[in-house]
Amino acid sequence: MHSYEKLLIDNKAWATEKKELDPEYFTNLSNLQTPEFLWIGCSDSRVPANQITGTQPGEIFVHRNIANLVVDTDTNLFAVLDYAVTHLQVKHVIVCGHYGCGGVKAAMGNADYKDVLNMWLRNIKDVYAHNQKELDAIGEEETRAERLVDLIVKQQVINLAKTSVIQRAWKNRQAPALHGWVYGLKDGLINPVFELKPNTPIDHIYTYENL
Ligand code: CO
């Protein structure tokens, strides 16, 4: 048996079990999607949004990329953000990073990962550069990497607040709240590190008028 065939077999078992517990389970889910949360997380296979938060299908709208970045030229992320915030009207947007992130470790070094990955990891290097004094003062490499993960998450939350998608929603419906969380691979626990409540003032240059 090929490894991928096990996924299909396990899928059948899962669907059967769900239906046995609640015969209307899939009918109900297929009729309506009203998640309260948008999750922007790392693609890392060890950080699955639903499993680590104990949530079910239908509860979290998800976007994942390497190192959970909010990059202002990322059409994919912005389409997800716009749909979740403007149409699904989520109440919370969560950026969830994680300690032990391979993307962050890669960006902290000087290896050449070839053009496309270098381009993506550059966003992490920028966060490092903006906080160089604080980070360079941390002698232990793992502690420094963990602090960088916190700072990256904080910066991505600020990046969200700079968007007209978020600012328009803040003006129209005083939501969503923006949360920066970090997940620990070693203990499975999520630590909230930063939060912006709706209508928190941000730098004037990033503030849109007449939304
Ligand atoms: Co990661």
Side-chain angles (χ1 to χ4, degrees):
M1 188 169 70
H2 297 289
S3 58
Y4 72 87
E5 289 175 309
K6 190 178 179 306
L7 302 186
L8 298 172
I9 290 165
D10 286 353
N11 163 257
K12 274 207 183 81
W14 172 79
T16 306
E17 191 192 323
K18 284 285 176 196
K19 238 181 155 173
E20 273 169 12
L21 289 170
D22 175 7
E24 300 302 311
Y25 184 77
F26 292 107
T27 319
N28 290 341
L29 268 181
S30 61
N31 288 338
L32 196 65
Q33 181 186 223
T34 53
E36 211 177 295
F37 311 98
L38 166 62
W39 176 277
I40 298 171
C42 184
S43 299
D44 193 306
S45 63
R46 297 165 295 180
V47 197
N50 284 126
Q51 271 153 297
I52 65 172
T53 57
T55 48
Q56 298 298 317
E59 291 192 78
I60 305 189
F61 202 66
V62 174
H63 176 86
R64 290 168 73 177
N65 62 39
I66 292 174
N68 40 269
L69 300 179
V70 176
V71 177
D72 60 4
T73 51
D74 183 348
T75 315
N76 184 350
L77 180 133
F78 273 79
V80 170
L81 180 71
D82 193 11
Y83 186 70
V85 171
T86 312
H87 297 274
L88 295 173
Q89 307 223 325
V90 294
K91 293 181 183 143
H92 302 273
V93 180
I94 298 155
V95 177
C96 188
H98 67 103
Y99 298 132
C101 184
V104 173
K105 280 183 190 161
M108 284 177 77
N110 298 95
D112 168 21
Y113 290 93
K114 302 293 181 284
D115 300 350
V116 176
L117 276 173
N118 287 345
M119 208 162 82
W120 188 252
L121 297 177
R122 158 73 192 279
N123 296 292
I124 302 172
K125 289 180 184 286
D126 286 346
V127 175
Y128 195 108
H130 285 140
N131 299 278
Q132 187 143 18
K133 230 179 174 180
E134 180 192 340
L135 289 165
D136 282 352
I138 304 170
E140 218 271 305
E141 198 177 326
E142 200 174 323
T143 313
R144 191 160 72 240
E146 289 185 354
R147 180 61 185 149
L148 179 56
V149 167
D150 293 349
L151 292 168
I152 288 165
V153 163
K154 181 181 174 189
Q155 185 59 54
Q156 308 321 300
V157 170
I158 292 168
N159 289 351
L160 286 173
K162 290 177 186 172
T163 67
S164 51
V165 173
I166 291 297
Q167 289 181 26
R168 190 172 288 114
W170 279 2
K171 189 186 172 196
N172 292 339
R173 61 182 181 92
Q174 291 73 54
L178 308 179
H179 307 266
W181 292 357
V182 177
Y183 174 76
L185 289 177
K186 287 178 185 166
D187 59 10
L189 295 175
I190 293 172
N191 186 27
V193 293
F194 188 66
E195 186 182 338
L196 285 182
K197 292 194 165 62
N199 294 310
T200 304
I202 57 164
D203 280 353
H204 184 258
I205 190 72
Y206 297 112
T207 306
Y208 295 98
E209 290 171 348
N210 309 316
L211 283 163

